Amino acid sequence: MSVSPVKRQKMESALDQLKHHTTVVADTGDFNAIDEYKPLDATTNPSLILAAAQMPAYQELVDDAVAYGKKLGGSEEEQIKNACDKLFVLFGAEILKRIPGRVSTEVDARLSFDKEGMIQRARRLIDLYKEAGIGKDRILIKLSSTWEGIQAGKVLEAEYGIHCNMTLLFSFAQAVACAEAGVTLISPFVGRILDWYVANGDKKTYEPSEDPGVKSVTKIYNYYKKFGYKTIVMGASFRNTGEIKALTGCDYLTISPKLLAELSKEHVKLTPTLSIKEAQACPLEKIHLDEKAFRWHHNEDQMAVEKLSDGIRKFAADAIKLERMLKERMFSAENGK
């Protein structure tokens, strides 16, 4: 006896329905979560790697990174930096065993205003993946969406064939500059935009369709699709499932294990809210941004200026914590003896 379409719809979770319209990415360094939710891709950042590196299950990876840093030698600082890069790649390599697509690995946020430094570090990470037998087609290098980061992404894509994921993206100006740079993917943040408006405005709750983060990603998606940009739009940083459902139809969405779990238990009908057809009918005009225009337009958006600088500081702080943890592992024991 066949099941009616209505009943079948009830049986399918919001997560399964979302996967029909949007590529679902896991925002985690935890392999168990990846095994459970079976995303196409996965994203990591210094904060997620720091959290995972402190879990008992992943101590072998930390030990391997420490051994690698020591083997390469050099100054204490160089050994820690090499161990850190290796740890990011070890996590990425393990994640790639569990997903069919790509993993995003982030360049140190302290290089956010150093174009050449970002290019060099990105190439180093790709070399480490190559040593592990993994081609650059399975890696997205995450760079901060500063002017320097966007230009680094442009060079990496055009000259080295390295695919980039531009992160910490809060303003329309950042999105336009990324499209013009021809990067593979952008990660416009949703939840952090909402956080700013809740903290700085009178309104404390928003319906998903009125959520300022949702509106930001919707505008970016519509602009890219209207003007034929190939760059993938991947909404990121969600605070609730309402934001995710309101962006059904977006190219990609990267979602934390907690919200993936909630979506897998929800059984409401999802309909795409974003579509190429609707985007092409939007009354947006194409703009070009050189460096001066980019800096001006980005600076006009107080939220974006504050959240970009705050995001860089937070990722940098977690990178420092990770380095301290590795330093303790690498040098404290031998100093104690």
Side-chain angles (χ1 to χ4, degrees), residues 68-83 327 330-331 334:
Y68 179 86
K70 285 190 157 188
K71 188 180 81 175
L72 259 57
S75 68
E76 199 171 285
E77 190 182 331
E78 285 170 329
Q79 288 183 53
I80 293 164
K81 189 170 92 169
N82 287 328
K327 182 179 180 178
M330 294 172 89
F331 303 108
E334 63 188 42

Side-chain angles (χ1 to χ4, degrees), residues 18 22-25 234-235 238 244 247 250-255:
L18 182 65
T22 290
T23 297
V24 171
V25 178
M234 180 172 76
F238 294 103
I244 295 165
L247 289 170
C250 191
D251 298 331
Y252 287 30
L253 296 175
T254 185
I255 307 168

Side-chain angles (χ1 to χ4, degrees), residues 194 197-206:
L194 173 65
Y197 280 94
V198 169
N200 292 279
D202 295 330
K203 195 168 179 180
K204 300 304 174 190
T205 56
Y206 290 85

Side-chain angles (χ1 to χ4, degrees), residues 234-246:
M234 180 172 76
S237 156
F238 294 103
R239 295 294 173 261
N240 53 66
T241 58
E243 291 177 327
I244 295 165
K245 291 181 285 189

